[in-house]
Amino acid sequence: QCLPLFTYPEQQKQCLPLFTYPEQLKQCLPLFTYLSKFIKDDYCQVLEVTNKILHSDGFRGNFKMAKCKCAALIKMARYEETVKFIRNDLGDSNHKNLRLQLAYEHSYSLYRTFKNEEALEILVEVEENSEVSNIAIDQLNELKAQILYRLEESSEAKKLYKDLIRNCADDFEEDREINLLACEAAQSLKNGTLNQNRPGSCPKVKMTKLSATMYEAYYNRAIIHIGNGDYSKAEKSLKNA
């Protein structure tokens, strides 16, 4: 319960593609009119229209339309279908770059179905292909940190959150601070357990000074203090929570 629910970011402004085929655009124009009508709230209709566009000449393998389809599926929590679309429909060698461009959607869908090792492999593959375009690195690192936390790699997740807090300026700053504290809480509990078996074998976790004041932050601070054996400090943090 330490980590807040990871929500899929809005994609509406990124969904419509740029066109280089006027005649094909003319043929699909009614479909794009429908897409503009439904894109804000009717994801079932978005999916239906997007499928038709993706099967039209000139739009097969179109990045922004493929991303739009993935966004609609994810909004409807149809994660397995998202993975199937990326792996099967875009599975041939001609679409390798497109699959890499959809790494976030691919990995996130695996993450939401608790296939954490597979989700991490997708992100690592992107890191090894630096020439891939249309990739938001901070967004990928955010997801990678969540996956690493689930895999109990709290030290690596903590490093990523520190970098994200340092480099990002948006409305999710406090969420990242809470998540960083969650990583330290996991480390503290692990060290505390080891110290019970072998006293003094692990040092206390030094808590990062952060400004987060939501109850989850104080809860995570309390867990850190408990792992460190500082029960009076833990009690104070729980009262603040």
Side-chain angles (χ1 to χ4, degrees):
Q1 299 178 358
C2 294
L3 292 176
L5 178 64
F6 187 89
T7 55
Y8 187 76
E10 296 296 329
Q11 300 291 340
Q12 284 88 343
K13 294 182 180 179
Q14 305 178 40
C15 290
L16 296 180
L18 298 174
F19 307 105
T20 56
Y21 306 98
E23 188 61 34
Q24 292 158 350
L25 170 59
K26 184 177 179 181
Q27 294 174 2
C28 290
L29 191 58
L31 293 175
F32 282 102
T33 301
Y34 281 120
L35 186 59
S36 298
K37 178 181 178 181
F38 297 122
I39 203 165
K40 290 185 178 180
D41 50 22
D42 193 337
Y43 300 113
C44 187
Q45 287 294 326
V46 168
L47 179 61
E48 182 178 339
V49 175
T50 304
N51 278 332
K52 291 179 180 179
I53 296 172
L54 283 169
H55 284 86
S56 302
D57 290 340
F59 296 99
R60 294 184 177 89
N62 180 280
F63 164 66
K64 290 191 177 181
M65 293 315 304
K67 191 175 185 72
C68 186
K69 176 174 179 174
C70 290
L73 287 169
I74 289 171
K75 284 290 188 179
M76 294 186 288
R78 292 162 63 173
Y79 306 116
E80 292 182 355
E81 290 180 58
T82 308
V83 174
K84 184 178 179 181
F85 166 64
I86 295 172
R87 289 184 173 178
N88 295 351
D89 293 17
L90 306 176
D92 59 77
S93 58
N94 294 330
H95 292 113
K96 180 180 179 181
N97 191 62
L98 180 56
R99 287 197 307 276
L100 291 173
Q101 288 177 317
L102 295 172
Y104 179 85
E105 290 78 7
H106 193 178
S107 181
Y108 179 75
S109 297
L110 290 166
Y111 164 80
R112 290 302 300 266
T113 52
F114 294 92
K115 296 177 181 178
N116 301 307
E117 290 84 0
E118 290 183 56
L120 184 59
E121 287 175 5
I122 299 300
L123 298 182
V124 171
E125 184 182 7
V126 175
E127 291 175 353
E128 295 173 350
N129 288 271
S130 57
E131 73 277 4
V132 179
S133 59
N134 295 314
I135 291 291
I137 299 301
D138 287 339
Q139 188 183 53
L140 294 184
N141 283 337
E142 196 103 46
L143 177 56
K144 186 178 181 181
Q146 294 274 20
I147 296 168
L148 288 169
Y149 178 86
R150 273 197 186 170
L151 292 172
E152 299 183 5
E153 299 285 348
S154 53
S155 295
E156 294 302 313
K158 178 181 174 179
K159 291 177 184 177
L160 284 174
Y161 280 123
K162 281 193 169 184
D163 288 339
L164 288 164
I165 290 169
R166 188 183 306 113
N167 297 327
C168 298
D170 54 31
D171 294 336
F172 299 103
E173 182 176 352
E174 190 162 16
D175 287 340
R176 294 186 188 100
E177 291 185 355
I178 291 169
N179 290 351
L180 192 155
L181 289 169
C183 293
E184 294 181 343
Q187 285 181 301
S188 180
L189 289 177
K190 181 179 180 180
N191 289 359
T193 301
L194 292 173
N195 282 331
Q196 286 179 356
N197 299 325
R198 297 173 58 191
S201 59
C202 294
K204 291 184 177 182
V205 171
K206 185 177 180 180
M207 189 190 308
T208 304
K209 293 182 179 180
L210 299 167
S211 60
T213 56
M214 294 175 66
Y215 77 90
E216 296 99 332
Y218 285 112
Y219 175 80
N220 288 339
R221 290 183 180 109
I223 298 298
I224 296 169
H225 290 313
I226 290 171
N228 286 341
D230 298 326
Y231 300 113
S232 60
K233 292 181 180 179
E235 182 181 13
K236 183 178 180 181
S237 291
L238 287 172
K239 287 180 179 178
N240 287 333

